[in-house]
Structure formats: structure tokens, C-alpha cells
Amino acid sequence: MPNTTDRSTGAQEYDALIIGAGFSGLYQLHCLRDRLGLSAQVLETADGVGGTWYWNRYPGARCESERHSYSYYFSKEILEEWEWSERYPEQPEIMRYLNYVADKLDLKRDIQFGTRVESAVYDEATNRWHVETEAGDQYTATYLITAVGCLSTANIPDIPGLDSFAGDWYHTGQWPHDGVDFTGKRVGQIGTGSTGIQAAPVIASTAGHLTVFQRTPNYSVPAHNGPLSAEFKQYLRENHDEIRAIMQSTPNGHPFRIADRNVADVTPDERLAIYEESWRTGGLRFRAAFRDLLLDKAANDTAAEFLKDKIRTVVKDPETAAKLANIDHPYAAKRPPIDTHYFETFNRDNVTLVDVRAAPIERITPTGIVTVNGEYPLDIIVFATGFDAMTGPLLGMDIRGRDGQALKDVWSAGPKTYLGLAVAGFPNMFTVTGPGSPSVLCNMPVAIEQHVEWITDCIAHMRENGIDRIEAGPEAAEKWVEHVNDAANATLLPLVKHSWYLGANVPGKPRVFMPYAGGMTRYRAVCDDIAAKGYEGFRKEGGGHEKHPPQGATVGDFGPAAAIDAPGV
Ligand code: N01
């Protein structure tokens, strides 16, 4: 319930507004409302909870983190009550889980569904955020928390002629709730990232014919999905604390440790045996085979060669295998997909691979897709073309901070945040999994829980100490951006020129490496240290704090970038 309603504007007044009802927004609401006792409201575009999982209903959509790690860990009761069914839960199961959590914590009564936020404007005189929705409803709050996710703004390439297509077309991130019937249809799928690799085998199983338009070939490791055994479920029930301890002590937040050995520490035969074993284990665990896979190109080459050999072994047609294995980026320098029979799909008679790097797409016609080699007649086009990642969802709203400055102008040369959590010039605004946070290089729920708890503690600290405004200091933000760059540059990640980590998948987007590659463990320690030092690097007003206190001498000492253990995926 709002504290009050402004009589002149009709604006509903809250302590906190949270934008988005996915993993982040749900937990943020619980923390602010039930732990701090604030009046808080979530504004959510969709008609239900779930965030990115609400929209990504494409065939084959399932989680790539292992079930028991893709969960909230803040509540023992939830951990004990909920039981996952498979190693990698499918989208409907994740939706059931998030609805279960929302109902259990009675969160939905404070979520306004079907509500798209258009603008959020900070008013310095009243120290409040004014939020307006597409429908013209108005809200104000002291704290604004964006929980909009990293991968929620669909990237639909601007291919000439799309409007003229007489068939149906869909983006995987905006999938129809009733599903799509591919039976007997000629389907074209553009995109071979994690999504396309999940979708293609399922689409091919019913389509008349599937043509996969591949621009950048990709590695993939079998997921080896399957139902959980009774013994494993028992192990999970009895070992939550230990599993959480592992997830919180690894750089990527997954429930397994990255091996503490370098590729050069073992003989070629041992290395092969390790890769074979990792391939059999499957999923993102393959990445954990050696510590230096993302730090040393020569080490990475050994994994890359192993994975390309697997493609050539699985795919029967040598020409198709060659196109699929023609990968020129280091393994895991793009987010490494995992799959269920992706490469095997190209052995089916009803599947064709088209290399659009060699023969680019020229246009879409009423009847299909035309590349420089000719037309592919289609009934349905599936865009598995990814997202305007990390900044897209934030810049999709008109967010204005002090002096009316727009976030899109402040970030015109690329995003700048302090810890990925706050932006200079935008007081009392917090960005869960914002650019500059580990987010997408980490198992998301682990990153989200840390962010939400840090933000909650920060707001509690403000209220206990009479601090009215908190804002990232520009110097601290500059140093954090530098540190984010150094952390990325100490790895092979920036070697991929065409990666959404860099914003390179969206024409005109500034090329800035957005996620923090220094590892979740390091990041957590930095955040804790900053909080322990009274939110060092932040400017505070109220409670006896000066308006612009000088920054502490140690701000920016986040540790050496090169000491990164092993960035995650
Ligand atoms: O998107 P992507 P995604 N012409 O950007 C191609 C997460 N995720 O949706 O590489 C032709 O990775 C593009 O080609 P290129 C995960 O973090 C999680 O697959 O730009 N092709 C690429 O092949 C993941 O990384 C899960 O040359 C075009 C593809 O489209 C992130 O979401 C599941 C093109 C886009 O790949 C995004 O994955 C799935 C064009 N004009 C995803 N434009 C789970 O954990 C783009 N492409 C469940």
C-alpha cells in the first residue's frame, strides 16, 4: 500500500519503487517490505512474475545453471520445500518456482502488473523519484531500484524487407504464450547463440524443414540433462549450507569449483582425459576443467581444438561439420552454450545449415530470406538474435537524475557505474545487476542475492544514520570503470569483437566491456569492504554528512586486475 497519495497529482507515494518482477525484483520487494518495513511497490510490464523467464518461452528454453544453484538461498524454508525435477529446469518449471516464491512471501499484492515504466525523474527539491507509466499513472518514492534484468530487450536485426514477410516471425525473447506450431512448416532460424542452440533441435523435431542461418559458429557442450535421482534430491536437502558455501566462494557462482591447475601442468594425454571426462560431465562444468582457460590463449586453444574435434565427430556431413567448426574465437570468451543434441540436429534430413558469414543475408521477401547465394523459401522466421544487453532495459526508460540529466546522455559513450549498483548524478537509485557488476559472468541468482542484500543494507544504513541521499561519487565511478576494464583486459574475453558483452551485437552501441570479469568472490569482498568503510566512494547527505565529503584515499584500490582467479560464465 502507498504511504499516501499526492492530492494534486494523484501520484502514489512510496518509500521505494522497484522496476521489474523477476528474480531481482521479487527478492528486493521482500527485503525492503518485510525486512526493513518500508512501503514498496514493484512495477512490472508483464502480466505475471518471472522477468526474462516470463518472455523467453521459446522451444527448448531451459536454465543453463544447474537446478539447485538456480534458486534463492536466503530462505531455508523455500530451499527445503521446493524440489526441482531435472538437472536443467525448463522455462515452465522456473515460472512455477518464481510463482511459488511470490505466493509464499505474499509478494503479488505489492506488484502492479501490466505496467510499463516510461520515465523516472529525480526531483532534487523533494529528494524523490517521480515515475510515470505508459498508462500515465504516477508514483513517487525516495528510493528507486531498477531490477530490469540484463537480457530483456530483444535485439531484432534491421533486415530490409522484414515488414513484407507474408509468413509469421518471432523473436525468442518475445515468444507467444500459446506457443508456435511448426508442424510441416519451412522454418528459418537466425542466430546460433545459447538460445538458438537450445531452440534448433526442438524446432527441427516437428518442422517440415529447418534452415539455420549461422553468422558466427559456436562451441557447445552437451548438457546431459535428465531427471534428478532420489539420492541426489536427498543430497540437496541435506547439504544446502555446503552448496551455498561453494557457490559463494567460486568466481562464477556455480556449485562447482574451477580446477586449480593450468593446462601446462599436465601432459597432453592427461589433458585429453580431463577434457573427455569434462565432456561426459557436460554443461558449464566443462569450463572448470582448467584454471587458465580464459587467461591464456595457448591454454584455451587446447579446449577449442578438443571441442571442434567433437563437432567433426558428431556431424556426419563433412561440409556442414566444417562450417560449424569454423570457430575463430576462444572457447568461453563468448558465453558458452550448452545443448541437448544441437550438433546431432544437423544429421537430420530436414535440417540445413547456411553460412551467412560467407554469404550474408541481403533481405527478407514475402516468401523467405535472400542471401547473396539466393532465396530460402520460408513459412516462419525465428529470430534467436539475442538482446540489447545490460544497458538496453535501462535506456529503454527515460531516467533522469540531478539537473534533469538523462541516463542516455550520461552513458552516451558507454555505461559508467560504481560497482554496477549506482550511477553518479542519480541519487538514491540502485541498479541490480547493472553494467559493471559480475551479473552475466556469474550464476545470476547468486549475483542477484548479493546485490539485493547489499542495497537493502545500504538503505538500512541510510535510515539508521539519517542519511537522506546517497550517490556514487564520480571519482569512485571512474575508478570502478577503469577496474572493470582492467579486469576484462586481464582475460581473453575482449578478444571477441562480436560479443554482446561488448555491446557489439547492436549497431551504434558503444563498444565497452560491460560485465565485471574480476569474479563474484572478489566483487563481494570489494562491496563488503566499501560498506564497512561507511559506503566509501559514495556521497552522502544528511545525518551530519557534508554535502560533498572528500573521497577516501583508498577509493579505487580494488586489488590487482591480474589476480583474477578465473572469470566465470
Ligand atoms: O543471443 P546471442 P542469445 N544476422 O547474442 C546472431 C543468455 N541465455 O539469445 O554472433 C545473422 O548470444 C548472432 O550472430 P553473431 C546467455 O547469457 C541464457 O542466444 O552476432 N545473425 C548470434 O549467433 C546468452 O549468452 C540461457 O555473429 C545474427 C545470435 O544471433 C544470452 O542469453 C538461455 C544477426 C545471437 O546470440 C544471449 O543469448 C539462452 C544478424 N543480423 C540464453 N544478429 C539460459 O541460461 C544476431 N545474429 C537458459
Side-chain angles (χ1 to χ4, degrees), residues 28 62 84 92 154 249 260 262 265 296 375 477 497 515 552 564:
Q28 190 68 75
R62 62 173 77 246
W84 293 107
S249 63
D260 189 25
N262 290 330
D265 295 341
D296 178 349
E375 177 162 10
K497 296 293 169 239
I564 298 165

Side-chain angles (χ1 to χ4, degrees), residues 473-551:
E475 309 82 355
E478 285 296 338
K479 285 185 178 166
W480 182 252
V481 170
E482 240 174 69
H483 182 63
V484 170
N485 285 331
D486 290 348
N489 289 332
T491 73
L492 305 180
L493 293 166
L495 293 188
V496 183
K497 296 293 169 239
H498 217 72
S499 139
W500 61 258
Y501 292 156
L502 268 172
N505 61 329
V506 176
K509 189 165 172 170
R511 304 282 165 104
V512 173
F513 194 87
M514 293 182 286
Y516 175 57
M520 191 63 209
T521 337
R522 163 86 71 88
Y523 175 81
R524 184 188 299 278
V526 169
C527 290
D528 288 350
D529 186 49
I530 284 168
K533 290 176 179 159
Y535 296 90
E536 188 180 50
F538 285 88
R539 293 178 168 178
K540 290 149 274 185
E541 288 178 48
H545 291 274
E546 300 167 43
K547 190 164 182 194
H548 293 301
Q551 302 299 302

